[in-house]
Amino acid sequence: INPKDSAQLKWAWSYLIKQQVAAPLPSPIDNKDLLACILATLDDMSYGHPAEKQLFQEKMKKTWSQKKYRDSGKAKKQHYMPLTKDTRDKLSALSEEWSMKPHEVVEVLIQEANEQKPADAN
């Protein structure tokens, strides 16, 4: 946990609360309090089985990493578009011709159409 990363500290504390493992402490008011509460909760977990604490910390790290990835905008979200059979066939033919996956063809076509718009239309 980065003590200077306010977003990570807030997320970690809310994660501990959601997982119902947060130590019964007064609500933290600043980053210093958040870090102290998080560390106190993790220290309190030390009284249980060490493997249990380690598994929890690994899960927490992976969850934080996933959150950062999703927030970065690089994560792709599925979108369903109903297409006629004729349009699907044309998309398949284009994807084979261009050696791309169908979703990549759609992305390229959208980018090209967006680039061809006049500047004031954006």
Side-chain angles (χ1 to χ4, degrees):
I1 295 178
N2 181 355
K4 295 178 183 175
D5 187 347
S6 181
Q8 185 184 37
L9 291 170
K10 289 175 185 174
W11 174 86
W13 183 241
S14 67
Y15 181 82
L16 294 171
I17 291 170
K18 285 179 188 173
Q19 298 299 315
Q20 299 179 345
V21 296
L25 299 166
S27 295
I29 27 180
D30 59 13
N31 286 352
K32 187 177 175 183
D33 286 349
L34 277 168
L35 182 62
C37 290
I38 293 164
L39 294 177
T41 297
L42 294 174
D43 283 346
D44 187 47
M45 293 176 90
S46 299
Y47 295 112
H49 197 279
E52 195 175 306
K53 178 183 174 184
Q54 186 177 3
L55 282 172
F56 182 84
Q57 287 177 326
E58 287 299 317
K59 182 180 176 192
M60 189 173 173
K61 285 179 191 176
K62 289 178 182 177
T63 306
W64 171 249
S65 181
Q66 185 67 29
K67 181 195 177 336
K68 284 194 320 185
Y69 176 71
R70 287 182 179 147
D71 290 351
S72 73
K74 294 178 184 174
K76 294 185 180 189
K77 296 180 172 100
Q78 287 188 346
H79 182 78
Y80 173 74
M81 285 190 299
L83 301 172
T84 63
K85 183 174 180 349
D86 182 49
T87 304
R88 280 195 320 257
D89 291 343
K90 289 176 183 176
L91 179 58
S92 292
L94 271 178
S95 66
E96 283 182 31
E97 182 181 328
W98 293 358
S99 300
M100 300 172 104
K101 295 180 180 176
H103 70 88
E104 294 171 331
V105 171
V106 172
E107 286 179 8
V108 167
L109 292 173
I110 290 171
Q111 287 173 351
E112 286 178 358
N114 201 35
E115 289 170 2
Q116 291 177 2
K117 280 198 266 183
D120 60 340
N122 286 335

